[in-house]
């Protein structure tokens, strides 16, 4: 076996769903969503046929090639008690499109647990939200696999879900009914819809909340994306620049950057505070063809930031997973994957999970990097300073450019 170059992502493991003999003919097998819990202790994927699989992380040794076990099973990632966690299967009764873990540990979540388990000890409650084909949202307790809540309101497929990183149990849902809805899972012990965000003219594919909890980005089957205030739930601005439908979006870990991915084969990097377009990343075929009709083969499906904020991962229809360094215009690594639909980084870095149309999940190595002191300082400052606040500081121009990511 030829060892891959250091730049190539290595396929660490692939999980495939079981195939029981009988399934509802309306069910599909696509993995539309994959997610790691924020602390890295669980992995969830919608493996098709109305089923979500919850897998303790790290994976069992038989799924990991030799040489990677020790890295995956470090003491930091396996606190006391995690080794006893068991895989769970959640039967959602409908095709599952969106997944989101709550932050954990979360003090408010203990109240939710106490309401539904009055005799149980006061323990941390990690929950998983699932967006379904019939517009319902089901909320599950991860440790036990118990169904806690059923949220109704959407009139069509719930395509994406996102919890506020603050741990307040505010959930945002994006739907094919062209709306986003804001839910407070602590309200009345049963969850309550507190806001409906309207304005999109097409299906809403994706929603992402900034890590500082100030902004919400939504992407629909339109050329523009909407940026909303998470404080007033009003529209801040529309970001226009794509030439086709935008299908995925993600904020950088310091909330200073926003990336959007489109069927137009490009990723645009924005300053969400000013609306300025900072950079475009174009997905061209490795072997150009004479037929212009093949351009759709590079249509984007998913984009995500790495946890330290120095890399991006993208999945496109040209059967490639690409990894991009933040300050370079070309990918730094490629991996071949068929029928990719979604991707996400492991919260502690080093691994990317991807989901495919056949219900499979693949785990790839990702660049491990020791952030420079400059980047760490920028990340710390930008986590609480807006672009306008940085520009108002009495510091040299070059320093302002670095802090506002204008040095590309």
């Amino acid at each position: 076996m030829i060892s891959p170059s250091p730049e190539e992502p290595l396929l660490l493991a692939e999980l495939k769903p079981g195939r029981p003999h009988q399934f509802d003919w309306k069910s599909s097998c696509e993995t539309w969503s994959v997610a790691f819990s924020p602390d890295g202790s669980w992995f969830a994927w919608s493996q098709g046929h109305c089923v979500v699989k919850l897998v303790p992380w790290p994976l069992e040794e038989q799924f990991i090639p030799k040489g990677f076990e020790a890295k995956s099973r470090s003491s930091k990632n396996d606190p006391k008690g995690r080794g006893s966690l068991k895989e769970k299967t959640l039967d959602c009764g409908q095709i599952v499109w969106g997944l989101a873990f709550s932050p954990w540990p979360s003090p408010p979540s203990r109240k939710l647990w106490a309401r539904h388990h009055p005799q149980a000890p006061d323990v941390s409650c990690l929950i998983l939200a699932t967006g379904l084909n019939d517009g319902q949202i089901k909320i599950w307790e991860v440790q036990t696999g118990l169904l806690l809540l059923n949220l109704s309101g959407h009139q069509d497929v719930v395509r994406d879900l996102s919890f506020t990183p603050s741990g307040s149990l505010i959930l945002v849902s994006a739907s094919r009914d062209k709306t986003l809805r804001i839910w407070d899972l602590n309200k009345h012990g049963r969850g309550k819809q507190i806001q409906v965000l309207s304005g999109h003219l097409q299906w809403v594919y994706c929603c992402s909340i900034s890590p500082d909890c100030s902004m919400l980005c939504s992407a629909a089957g339109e050329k523009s994306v909407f940026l909303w205030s998470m404080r007033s739930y009003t529209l801040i601005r529309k970001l226009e620049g794509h030439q086709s439908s935008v299908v995925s979006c993600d904020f950088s870990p310091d909330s200073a950057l926003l990336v959007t991915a489109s069927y137009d084969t490009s990723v645009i990097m924005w300053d969400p505070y000013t609306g300025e377009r900072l950079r475009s990343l174009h997905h061209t075929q490795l072997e150009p063809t004479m037929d212009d009709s093949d351009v759709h083969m590079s249509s984007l499906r998913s984009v995500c930031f790495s946890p330290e904020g120095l890399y991006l991962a993208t999945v496109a229809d040209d059967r490639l997973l690409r990894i991009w360094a933040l300050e370079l215009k070309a990918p730094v690594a490629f991996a071949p994957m068929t029928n990719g639909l979604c991707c996400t980084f492991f919260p502690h870095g080093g691994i990317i999970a991807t989901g495919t149309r056949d219900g499979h999940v693949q785990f790839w190595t990702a660049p491990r990097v020791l952030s420079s002191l400059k980047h760490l300082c920028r990340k710390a400052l930008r986590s609480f300073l807006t672009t306008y606040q940085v520009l108002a500081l009495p510091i040299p121009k070059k320093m302002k450019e670095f802090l506002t990511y204008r040095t590309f």
Side-chain angles (χ1 to χ4, degrees), residues 278-284 323-332 408:
L278 301 179
R279 162 169 290 183
S280 294
L281 305 176
H282 297 286
H283 290 63
T284 56
I323 299 175
W324 309 73
L326 192 63
E327 298 190 356
L328 299 177
K329 290 187 176 181
V332 296
F408 296 151

Side-chain angles (χ1 to χ4, degrees), residues 82-345:
R82 296 271 176 88
S84 61
L85 300 181
K86 301 298 183 183
E87 179 180 302
K88 295 176 178 62
T89 300
L90 307 180
D91 186 354
C92 297
Q94 292 280 331
I95 298 171
V96 182
W97 292 80
L99 296 173
F101 281 100
S102 67
W104 187 62
S106 169
S109 68
R110 290 197 286 268
K111 298 178 182 178
L112 181 65
W113 172 271
R115 290 184 185 121
H116 290 270
H117 304 81
Q119 306 302 320
D122 186 20
V123 296
S124 295
C125 177
L126 177 65
I127 62 178
L128 177 72
T130 55
L132 306 183
N133 198 64
D134 62 355
Q136 301 289 309
I137 302 169
K138 290 188 176 182
I139 308 296
W140 307 82
E141 204 285 303
V142 173
Q143 302 281 49
T144 63
L146 294 176
L147 178 63
L148 295 179
L149 299 172
N150 196 0
L151 306 177
S152 301
H154 281 296
Q155 304 303 309
D156 207 334
V157 170
V158 177
R159 184 64 184 84
D160 197 21
L161 296 160
S162 184
F163 276 100
T164 52
S166 64
S168 61
L169 286 186
I170 299 297
L171 175 68
V172 177
S173 55
S175 171
R176 282 187 181 177
D177 66 10
K178 305 175 187 177
T179 70
L180 297 109
R181 294 173 191 252
I182 317 294
W183 311 83
D184 186 344
L185 301 192
N186 275 316
K187 286 285 186 181
H188 310 307
R190 295 186 299 274
K192 180 183 179 182
Q193 178 181 291
I194 58 176
Q195 194 74 32
V196 178
L197 305 182
S198 302
H200 282 293
L201 301 178
Q202 302 293 334
W203 296 349
V204 188
Y205 287 114
C206 183
C207 60
S208 179
I209 301 173
S210 62
D212 66 2
C213 300
S214 67
M215 296 172 285
L216 166 68
C217 181
S218 58
E222 303 158 357
K223 297 179 182 179
S224 60
V225 294
F226 288 14
L227 204 60
W228 311 82
S229 168
M230 281 297 289
R231 297 185 176 96
S232 62
Y233 300 124
T234 56
L235 183 65
I236 300 173
R237 64 173 54 89
K238 296 181 183 179
L239 301 177
E240 299 180 339
H242 283 290
Q243 303 304 309
S244 187
S245 300
V246 184
V247 295
S248 183
C249 57
D250 195 26
F251 283 94
S252 62
D254 59 5
S255 304
L257 297 173
L258 171 70
V259 288
T260 55
S262 167
Y263 287 160
D264 66 8
T265 76
S266 70
V267 168
I268 296 180
M269 194 179 299
W270 310 84
D271 184 322
Y273 295 104
T274 66
E276 184 179 351
R277 177 173 170 170
L278 301 179
R279 162 169 290 183
S280 294
L281 305 176
H282 297 286
H283 290 63
T284 56
Q285 291 184 330
L286 294 183
E287 297 180 1
T289 63
M290 299 299 292
D291 187 357
D292 291 339
S293 66
D294 286 341
V295 70
H296 73 279
M297 290 301 293
S298 294
S299 296
L300 272 291
R301 291 290 171 177
S302 184
V303 62
C304 61
F305 265 101
S306 63
E308 80 291 325
L310 290 174
Y311 291 94
L312 296 171
T314 59
V315 170
D317 283 347
D318 61 0
R319 300 184 178 183
L320 286 174
L321 165 69
R322 290 174 173 84
I323 299 175
W324 309 73
L326 192 63
E327 298 190 356
L328 299 177
K329 290 187 176 181
V332 296
F334 299 87
M337 62 172 300
T338 303
N339 297 326
L341 290 176
C342 54
C343 62
T344 190
F345 276 88

Side-chain angles (χ1 to χ4, degrees), residues 23-40:
F23 276 124
D24 182 347
W25 66 273
K26 294 181 180 179
S27 298
S28 63
C29 65
E30 293 91 349
T31 291
W32 291 109
S33 188
V34 292
F36 286 101
S37 62
D39 70 337

